[in-house]
Amino acid sequence: MPTPTVVLVHGAFTDTACWFGVVAELQSHGIPVVAPPNPLRGLVSDAAHVASVVSRIDGPVVLVGHSYGGALITMAGTAENVIALVYVAACILQEGESLADVRDRFLATEVENSLRHWTYPVPGGGEAVEVTITEEAFPSLFAADVSRTVVRVLASCQRPLAVSAFEEKTTAAAWRTKPSWALVAGADRVIPPDAERFGARRAGATVVEIDGASHAVALSQPTAVARLIRDAVQAVG
């Protein structure tokens, strides 16, 4: 079997730059990597976008999702050439479940009170609502273990998430038939660590927990994140 291609799916409030260090680590070990942009417009449509990226890759794929991206790989991972899933400080949903369901099951984090709402035009006319984290709250909530200089830039460069994405239901759970790995960020203030643990346990994932890691663990500890991904690649490849 050829070396699987790793596809990295970022979450809300960030972009593909969050994977910079992880990509460098994986490439240094000869692992092919693709890190596509995530539209952040809706659970179902975003998962379809990720699936379209996977469909263009010849050979096996290990699909990796951070945060909201975890919900997307759960659906997109049903593609035939996806052979493993890796969740990084992620939402791991089951069929018929939404992000709002997870939010309601666990105590809301401080992010709920630190969101700024914006409107954006939608095709056909009208407006919809999207959210970012306030620039004042972003450093401590999203990336407390990232350098102050870098995190100020990240706060200014946020990618907003459509509010409608919170209520959409997942249509499939690829972890039921494919092996999975999960990294729990022990100091996450965006997704409660207990929610990450619950999802990983339900999915039967191989779990690594990093105490003190923020939600931005892929930026602050890229070597550890890449190591987990490499474990998955080696296990299935």
Side-chain angles (χ1 to χ4, degrees):
M1 178 186 292
T3 301
T5 297
V6 171
V7 175
L8 302 169
V9 182
H10 69 81
F13 316 126
T14 186
D15 59 19
T16 56
C18 73
W19 295 117
F20 186 90
V22 175
V23 171
E25 287 279 344
L26 293 174
Q27 289 179 338
S28 73
H29 286 85
I31 298 173
V33 187
V34 176
N38 182 351
L40 302 177
R41 296 296 82 179
L43 201 62
V44 175
S45 62
D46 291 344
H49 176 77
V50 173
S52 74
V53 173
V54 170
S55 71
R56 297 195 296 268
I57 296 173
D58 292 329
V61 167
V62 172
L63 202 46
V64 182
H66 171 246
S67 189
Y68 168 75
L72 305 185
I73 71 169
T74 292
M75 289 191 284
T78 57
E80 186 175 349
N81 62 328
V82 174
I83 58 174
L85 308 168
V86 181
Y87 296 95
V88 179
C91 291
I92 308 176
L93 306 181
Q94 66 179 355
E95 305 95 326
E97 195 170 42
S98 69
L99 298 171
D101 292 332
V102 174
R103 177 194 62 200
D104 295 342
R105 182 180 295 123
F106 296 89
L107 292 176
T109 61
E110 298 161 87
V111 170
E112 297 293 324
N113 298 318
S114 301
L115 294 178
R116 184 170 183 180
H117 292 69
W118 312 78
T119 59
Y120 66 96
V122 295
E127 294 180 331
V129 179
E130 60 188 12
V131 290
T132 57
I133 300 173
T134 63
E135 289 193 29
E136 296 76 17
F138 187 92
S140 61
L141 293 182
F142 196 93
D145 54 354
V146 176
S147 75
R148 194 72 178 178
T149 301
V150 171
V151 81
R152 286 180 63 193
V153 174
L154 295 175
S156 298
C157 298
Q158 290 180 67
R159 292 275 311 285
L161 175 67
V163 168
S164 59
F166 288 100
E167 302 295 337
E168 290 187 46
K169 306 286 187 179
T170 53
T171 57
W175 49 258
R176 294 197 183 279
T177 58
K178 299 182 181 182
S180 60
W181 284 255
L183 186 150
V184 173
D188 200 328
R189 295 173 67 184
V190 175
I191 300 175
D194 281 345
E196 296 172 17
R197 296 184 189 105
F198 172 81
R201 184 168 58 249
R202 183 170 62 181
T206 298
V207 180
V208 169
E209 182 158 348
I210 301 181
D211 293 334
S214 75
H215 192 62
V217 62
L219 273 173
S220 63
Q221 303 204 41
T223 300
V225 173
R227 184 182 302 119
L228 180 64
I229 297 169
R230 285 167 45 212
D231 288 346
V233 169
Q234 291 167 1
V236 298

